[in-house]
Amino acid sequence: MAPADLRRTFVLASELKEGDLLVGGTRDDRVRQEAKRSLAAVRLGEISATALVDDGVSDALDRSLNAESLAEVSALTVARLKQILLSPAGADWARRYRDGLRSEAIAAVVKVMTDSELSSVARAIFNPLPDEPARLNGSRLRSAAIRPSFGEARPSAFGAEAARWSGEGTTVGSPRHFGSRIQPNSPGDDEDDILLSILEGLTYGCGDVIIGLNPASDDVETIVRLEDLLRSVVERLRLPTRYCVLSDIVKQSRARARTPVDVGFQSLAGTSRALAGMVGLDVDGVLDLARGFPGCYFETGQGSAVTNSAAEGVDMVTLEARAYGVARHIRRQTGRWTIVNDVAGFIGPEVFRTAEQLQRACLEDVVMAKLHGLTMGLDVCATFHMGIEPEALQQTTRRIVELAAPAYLMAVAGNSDPMLGYLTTSFREHPQLRRQSGRHITTAMRKRLVALDVVAPDGEVPPARTGAQATASLYAVYMKEGGDRRSIDTLREEGASKIERLRARGYDLGYGHEAGYAAPTVVVARTRAIYAQARHALYAALDAGAVRAASPHHLRVATTSRDREEYLAHPRSGELIREDDAERIMALRASRLPQVQVVISDGLNASAVNENLREVLPPLRKELAAAGIHVGEIDVVIQNGRVRAGYHVGALLDAGVVVHLIGERPGTGLDTLSAYLTYGRDRAGQSRWGPDLDHAATTAVCGIHRQGKPPSVATEEIARLVRRMFERRRSGVALDS
């Protein structure tokens, strides 16, 4: 089969997801079933011999394969591979031959499986990691005087219960394991927010796989500060887990020169073009940097390449498999502790529209990762513009844990991440999910949390050991272990006071749980309020008065989106300015082109612009003018505008730098603004503006809000970055290179 024909067969054989329609997929069930039958008859050797994409990712996938195993499986058809994997010997066969399975062959077999068949394979194959963090394992508290107290007698049979516990020897990714990543995000990278979120997560038995923080500010100074904070928690409490600040691997490598970094992080993609758009490197560049870290944490997710015009005509499942192939290649080359996390549902309705599609993607991805030999977790999540309500997502999460047997899930203080603005799994859901699945946290973490009086010896979380009192007690231990000489009671009171302040700001901390680990009524009401606020913000409009107050001289234009529904469902319609409006923008061109052109868009939250623009734009203009930088006199205000619409304006005006102020997607309970800063020239001084400009060329300042990154701080940061862009003649990932 010719490469183009095989690529098309792969696309048409995919289960229906909106993202695949962007690369030629179909809604026609009959066409899909016919393509599945054609694909099932293809031999693995034919797939291996056909380059769906000719790029660095394909080269890396070729190099990562075991030639002997590849030759042995080449004669199998996709249908026969499916039969083998579903047989009682399937798991053993997969362990023996997985390094001979090309990523595209793994994608092919997944496409011809039903959900039930995918579940059978997922629950049969496990790839446990060695119990490596033993350096932190089994430590004792410095003194009995700092043992947490929860106001109850410790059961006298604890020792006997521990001896009888059935999960002994449980490691990350083993058949009896179900763990979590504590994700303690803060919209302002506030250390109290982060610390108390981690401590609360521990009281629910979370965090045994990794503590992973997404920084709101992605500069090296912030990365260093947050790495130090995470390390202090792990070291002071002697937690047998890993930690990671989820910046890109380039910035993390710079941070390593100033502080220890435990785990290197990078998002991966299935094409070189998509990978370069994320980090400005191809596979070999990422591999070189990965060698410098003790461990590696990779994130993937169906849809990123197709929504960024970097799919090269390949479907989402196959691209996802290729991303796992990259992870396998790097792990084999480095020999490092490695985990992968699939962020399924993070992009929006242009990729998945229903909970059923989300479930299918999770099953596909877990099976593909396991067949690559990877230890795989999930972030079963939904953006607020997908329209999946919180209760529906929780039900979907429970089904996926049962059907897919992932090694771990995300764990956040509430179902809504306070910085990223999406729905995911809360701390209090994890004890329930462990009970449901009959699986446990790692033995090492269980023992440590027992020593801290956080969990019972069987891993259960007693009701008396959750809530504000439990978190405050762990706070006291943390402070004592850091050398604080105040009394335990004083430190508990301080911890409780900080928790109360965070709760007043809307954080889901210190509320505990109801029977069966159900969320208290106040927490349910808060989550529903955030959902309602987010849905309202998605359909909000730019307020003419608010825009005029911040930008007295502006031109209002619109993108090709016919209405808000098309804009939300089809993002590309919001990336180009309408033809008549493009002519109006061109008419602004004067003899002196602006060094900086300001663009203002509603994005996914016009309320964020209405609330924050006046506190950002006027002082920003003053700072840039004081630095001698010419800012265009007329700002361009876009209705239904996405980030790439700013690139289009840059091209129309041939601007040196575009400062694009845009409403972030809602879901944090805050209406936050972002600034996307892009230098419009390449190294030769030629314009690089265009609708397909890689987002790696852009520097983002996010989370701008009085309760997040204060507008005054954001304004200074934006002005500083713009000055640096003109000095270095670059932006995005290249700015610090």
Side-chain angles (χ1 to χ4, degrees), residues 403-448:
L403 295 174
Y408 63 96
L409 255 56
M410 291 302 101
V412 302
N415 285 104
S416 175
D417 185 280
M419 191 272 285
L420 294 175
Y422 73 119
L423 291 168
T424 187
T425 313
S426 69
F427 295 150
R428 62 176 60 84
E429 287 178 82
H430 274 267
Q432 181 185 31
L433 292 170
R434 294 194 293 268
R435 278 185 177 179
Q436 169 197 315
S437 65
R439 295 188 285 142
H440 313 277
I441 63 175
T442 63
T443 301
M445 181 61 96
R446 174 185 61 84
K447 289 180 176 179
R448 187 67 194 127

Side-chain angles (χ1 to χ4, degrees), residues 154 521 646 725:
R154 186 169 179 171
T521 303
M725 288 175 186

Side-chain angles (χ1 to χ4, degrees), residues 704-721:
I704 304 171
H705 188 277
R706 285 184 294 276
Q707 294 183 40
K709 174 170 287 187
S712 59
V713 174
T715 298
E716 292 175 1
E717 184 176 348
I718 294 167
R720 183 174 64 253
L721 287 167

Side-chain angles (χ1 to χ4, degrees), residues 519-708:
T521 303
V522 64
V523 171
V524 174
R526 174 182 172 274
T527 302
R528 288 175 177 167
I530 289 175
Y531 183 81
Q533 184 264 353
R535 296 295 296 174
H536 171 78
L538 288 166
Y539 293 92
L542 290 171
D543 180 78
V547 173
R548 188 166 51 250
S551 174
H553 306 289
H554 63 266
L555 175 67
R556 293 195 70 140
V557 300
T559 61
T560 59
S561 295
R562 290 169 296 183
D563 52 34
R564 198 63 176 172
E565 292 297 339
E566 181 181 30
Y567 175 76
L568 294 174
H570 302 289
R572 290 187 181 179
S573 68
E575 295 179 350
L576 292 176
I577 307 299
R578 291 188 318 193
E579 187 174 346
D580 57 335
D581 283 339
E583 293 177 358
R584 295 170 63 213
I585 294 172
M586 289 279 289
L588 298 178
R589 294 182 65 157
S591 57
R592 182 186 181 189
L593 297 176
Q595 286 182 284
V596 172
Q597 176 62 50
V598 174
V599 177
I600 303 160
S601 293
D602 46 12
L604 290 175
N605 187 355
S607 299
V609 179
N610 299 336
E611 182 175 342
N612 298 293
L613 186 63
R614 190 171 184 175
E615 295 188 55
V616 173
L617 184 52
L620 176 61
R621 277 185 167 276
K622 290 181 180 179
E623 288 214 24
L624 293 175
I629 296 173
H630 174 235
V631 182
E633 295 179 0
I634 299 178
D635 304 325
V636 177
V637 180
I638 306 174
Q639 178 183 339
N640 292 331
R642 293 186 180 265
V643 173
R644 289 189 185 278
Y647 303 162
H648 193 186
V649 173
L652 294 170
L653 294 176
D654 196 24
V657 167
V658 165
V659 174
H660 190 173
L661 302 171
I662 187 169
E664 289 184 17
R665 66 185 186 186
T668 64
L670 305 177
D671 293 312
T672 53
L673 190 72
S674 284
Y676 287 85
L677 321 175
T678 311
Y679 185 76
R681 299 284 184 270
D682 62 18
R683 291 175 184 266
Q686 301 299 310
S687 174
R688 62 176 181 175
W689 294 117
D692 294 328
L693 179 65
D694 280 338
H695 287 313
T698 292
T699 300
V701 178
C702 302
I704 304 171
H705 188 277
R706 285 184 294 276
Q707 294 183 40

Side-chain angles (χ1 to χ4, degrees), residues 210-221:
I210 196 167
I211 300 171
L213 172 72
N214 300 87
S217 296
D218 201 23
D219 57 279
V220 174
E221 292 287 338

Side-chain angles (χ1 to χ4, degrees), residues 329-361:
H329 173 65
I330 294 174
R331 188 206 64 200
R332 292 190 67 186
Q333 291 296 313
T334 64
R336 299 293 189 267
W337 180 98
T338 300
I339 58 171
V340 178
N341 176 47
D342 170 34
V343 190
F346 187 72
I347 296 177
E350 64 269 33
V351 175
F352 311 126
R353 290 191 68 85
T354 66
E356 290 73 23
Q357 290 182 3
L358 177 60
Q359 177 177 306
R360 173 72 189 190

Side-chain angles (χ1 to χ4, degrees), residues 91-114:
D92 289 337
W93 187 94
R95 278 189 289 274
R96 179 177 177 183
Y97 291 104
R98 64 192 179 196
D99 289 339
L101 291 175
R102 190 174 174 90
S103 298
E104 290 86 348
I106 290 173
V109 75
V110 161
K111 290 172 182 288
V112 301
M113 286 185 178
T114 65

